[in-house]
Amino acid sequence: MPSGELRHSSPPITANNNSSAATAAFEDDAWVWAQIKAEARRDAESEPALASYLYSTILSHSSLERSLSFHLGNKLCSSTLLSTLLYDLFLNAFTSDPSLRSAAIADLRAARERDPACISFSHCLLNYKGFLACQAQRVAHRLWQQSRQPLALALHSRIADVFAVDIHPAARIGKGVLFDHATGVVVGETAVIGNNVSILHHVTLGGTGKVGGDRHPKIEDGVLIGAGATILGNVKIGEGAKIGAGSVVLIDVPPRTTAVGNPARLVGGKETPSKHKDVPGESMDHTSFISEWSDYII
């Protein structure tokens, strides 16, 4: 466990009823928030130049929802879209929809567990633009579902301007999602991203330009999409699949397989593709397929 991190394990779920599960989830969320505040206090003591920033962004707030709302409001505000308005907008969304809070917690855990460069939960909360863009998009998606499209699109525009992450507010995103580095990520209107997915920078989940309606990729649980990959059209990337960096995918990819290249091909061949047992969206294993990829030559 990294130095300075509280030595406290996540509380286990010991009963199979909804009440016990809800209680355990609440305790787990409370532990993550306590950890974030402990990290912020430690960093404020070790780096006085950041003390005021850490106090105003984390330590002065009573909950993760308030801290995240304050931070997003300040990040995304403009001369005409005020931080106070955005704070109220975000806080209302996070407090009235518990699924937004649980998704944020799952995303924080995803970054902390999968990215060796993530030194703390507070580091992710404050500095990971993929995390921040994802939380803001979830609020924009909620506005979209409430038929508040103009405000959803205005928020979408600010997210793209500030974070260089362009996710349409109608796109659906699961939880435990890691946008690693995140710069240049584009996700289209009808795209769906499942749970425990990891997506690297400059990934496009786009349409083909030929059709309307449901026209964007469907990414199932546990998928890993490498940097610069492009997936076009209403195609399905099966559960636990892996898309190699720089690949261009135009057709479905079966579960637990690896697709690489331009145009993408399945490792092991189309008829009997090689299948992996791990969940690449969680393991972040980008290169284990190379030993089986006979065309890989330097």
Side-chain angles (χ1 to χ4, degrees), residues 75-98:
K75 283 282 190 181
L76 295 173
C77 67
S78 69
S79 59
T80 54
L81 199 59
L82 301 182
S83 61
T84 50
L85 183 151
L86 290 175
Y87 173 78
D88 289 341
L89 177 69
F90 287 122
L91 185 60
N92 176 265
F94 288 127
T95 55
S96 60
D97 187 348

Side-chain angles (χ1 to χ4, degrees), residues 2 12 43 48 61 69 82 118 133 137 147 156 166 181 188 191 199 201 203 206 233 282 286:
D43 292 343
H61 298 284
S69 298
L82 301 182
C118 185
Q137 190 277 343
S147 298
H156 162 240
D166 189 342
H181 301 289
I199 297 176
H201 48 288
V203 165
E282 298 178 7
H286 290 266

Side-chain angles (χ1 to χ4, degrees), residues 40-124:
R41 282 192 292 269
R42 177 199 64 199
D43 292 343
E45 291 172 1
S46 65
E47 189 54 77
L50 291 177
S52 177
Y53 169 62
L54 291 168
Y55 179 80
S56 64
T57 309
I58 294 177
L59 295 173
S60 66
H61 298 284
S62 59
S63 67
L64 176 62
E65 297 98 308
R66 291 182 177 276
S67 173
L68 183 56
S69 298
F70 178 86
H71 193 38
L72 287 173
N74 280 290
K75 283 282 190 181
L76 295 173
C77 67
S78 69
S79 59
T80 54
L81 199 59
L82 301 182
S83 61
T84 50
L85 183 151
L86 290 175
Y87 173 78
D88 289 341
L89 177 69
F90 287 122
L91 185 60
N92 176 265
F94 288 127
T95 55
S96 60
D97 187 348
S99 69
L100 294 179
R101 176 190 170 94
S102 64
I105 293 289
D107 293 351
L108 284 167
R109 286 194 171 279
R112 189 72 179 97
E113 293 167 5
R114 299 176 207 165
D115 184 2
C118 185
I119 61 174
S120 65
F121 288 112
S122 60
H123 172 47
C124 178

Side-chain angles (χ1 to χ4, degrees), residues 128-283:
Y128 269 42
K129 65 180 185 177
F131 168 79
L132 294 170
C134 186
Q135 310 321 307
Q137 190 277 343
R138 289 199 179 101
V139 174
H141 179 71
R142 186 172 185 270
L143 294 171
W144 188 270
Q145 290 181 311
Q146 294 172 338
S147 298
R148 301 173 71 184
Q149 282 90 347
L151 184 54
L153 290 169
L155 187 55
H156 162 240
S157 178
R158 289 300 299 154
I159 295 166
D161 288 346
V162 173
F163 298 126
V165 177
D166 189 342
I167 307 176
H168 194 281
R172 290 181 285 156
I173 301 177
K175 62 182 182 178
V177 173
L178 170 63
F179 288 101
D180 196 359
H181 301 289
T183 300
V185 167
V186 177
V187 179
E189 178 182 8
T190 61
V192 178
I193 299 172
N195 299 324
N196 303 315
V197 170
S198 292
I199 297 176
L200 276 290
H201 48 288
H202 291 293
V203 165
T204 297
L205 305 181
T208 63
K210 296 181 180 179
V211 295
D214 193 357
R215 61 196 183 280
H216 295 102
K218 308 298 180 282
I219 312 300
E220 296 195 339
D221 296 351
V223 169
L224 171 63
I225 306 178
T230 299
I231 306 172
L232 300 178
N234 187 13
V235 299
K236 180 186 292 185
I237 309 301
E239 181 178 1
K242 184 188 308 183
I243 309 299
S247 298
V248 176
V249 180
L250 304 174
I251 59 175
D252 293 353
V253 175
R256 304 281 176 170
T257 63
T258 300
V260 294
N262 180 6
R265 292 176 287 169
L266 295 177
V267 173
K270 182 177 181 180
E271 300 302 323
T272 57
S274 300
K275 294 200 172 186
H276 43 260
K277 295 181 180 179
D278 70 331
V279 180
E282 298 178 7
S283 70

